[in-house]
Amino acid sequence: MSVGSLYQYFPNKAAILFRLQSDEWRRTSELLRSILADGTKPPLARLRALVHAFIRSECEEAAIRTALSDAAPLYRDAPEAHDARAAGEGIVAAFMREALPKASDATRNLAGELITTTLSEVGKRFSETPHGEAEIARHADGLADMFCAYLGELARRRIQS
């Protein structure tokens, strides 16, 4: 497609990048929902699957992320950005209620925030350099082990108190 044809659909580069970012937010929300809401699997298995899918996705999307990050100030506060964050938070909150049913809301909220922030930052940094499939799997396994141990410890503490 020629650049001229592209600008028939988008008024400028910022609009193109915003559309790409909106599509990425939608895909991430769908990924979260499809894995974390799958009640046929135990919560920790879903968390492990999410970590693997997310890290792989971050590695696959590393090149486009640079362009999107450069344009982030243009759309960071857009209503679509707020909606995407709220959707993700809702999906994670529902998962945490299921994974930690006896924990307090504050504990579940903190756990969800720590996991999503860590996953996002580690995924971003890890994907800044190319990695083979085996290395991606090892990295995701380590991160998933850490998250599963954390949730297991939170569940154990709550039962004892």
Side-chain angles (χ1 to χ4, degrees), residues 18-108:
F18 182 77
R19 174 61 185 269
L20 290 170
Q21 182 61 69
S22 296
D23 289 349
E24 196 277 328
W25 287 330
R26 183 185 43 75
R27 281 190 305 274
T28 300
S29 289
E30 289 171 5
L31 177 71
L32 275 170
R33 185 175 293 105
S34 70
I35 294 172
L36 293 183
D38 181 2
T40 65
K41 296 178 183 153
L44 296 183
R46 285 183 265 159
L47 180 57
R48 183 170 293 284
L50 176 70
V51 171
H52 276 268
F54 186 83
I55 295 296
R56 190 172 299 107
S57 172
E58 287 291 288
C59 290
E60 291 168 358
E61 296 170 356
I64 190 81
R65 191 177 320 101
T66 302
L68 294 177
S69 293
D70 290 345
L74 302 173
Y75 50 74
R76 181 178 295 131
D77 295 324
E80 294 88 345
H82 292 288
D83 293 346
R85 282 191 291 273
E89 289 167 3
I91 295 163
V92 170
F95 172 76
M96 286 299 161
R97 283 190 298 276
E98 186 179 350
L100 298 170
K102 296 181 181 179
S104 67
D105 286 341
T107 297
R108 286 193 297 262

Side-chain angles (χ1 to χ4, degrees), residues 24 51-67 69 118-132 135-137 139-140 143:
E24 196 277 328
V51 171
H52 276 268
F54 186 83
I55 295 296
R56 190 172 299 107
S57 172
E58 287 291 288
C59 290
E60 291 168 358
E61 296 170 356
I64 190 81
R65 191 177 320 101
T66 302
S69 293
T118 303
L119 186 58
S120 177
E121 284 301 310
V122 169
K124 178 183 168 200
R125 289 184 188 199
F126 180 72
S127 67
E128 288 174 350
T129 56
H131 300 281
E135 191 176 2
I136 292 170
H139 201 83
L143 195 54

